[in-house]
Amino acid sequence: MPVPFRRTSKTRKAKRRTHQRAEVPTTIMCQNCGKNIKPHTVCKSCGHYKGKQVIKAKDE
């Protein structure tokens, strides 16, 4: 097996690994109850979506 002629530098290794980080998920505040939820989803705590009651809440 061939062996690399030169050692891979720290900078080159870091440039290659820049896309391997974990991303923080985007969240928004519910207009009704103020809890953090994912965008374009129904709030699990109050059941509202775009200011309208869509499903029954788990709390009720």
Side-chain angles (χ1 to χ4, degrees):
M1 288 286 298
V3 180
F5 183 69
R6 288 199 169 95
R7 179 181 173 198
T8 305
S9 67
K10 294 175 188 174
T11 306
R12 182 177 287 272
K13 188 167 45 176
K15 284 180 184 178
R16 188 173 62 240
R17 294 179 178 173
T18 56
H19 306 291
Q20 296 180 359
R21 64 187 177 275
E23 292 185 9
V24 178
T26 306
T27 59
I28 59 169
M29 287 184 65
C30 176
Q31 296 175 352
N32 189 47
C33 65
K35 295 215 177 186
N36 285 337
I37 58 170
K38 289 183 179 180
H40 309 290
T41 56
V42 178
C43 181
K44 293 178 182 176
S45 63
C46 66
H48 277 73
Y49 180 71
K50 291 189 178 181
K52 296 179 184 177
Q53 183 77 24
V54 180
I55 58 172
K56 284 189 176 181
K58 290 183 177 180
D59 298 339
E60 293 177 4

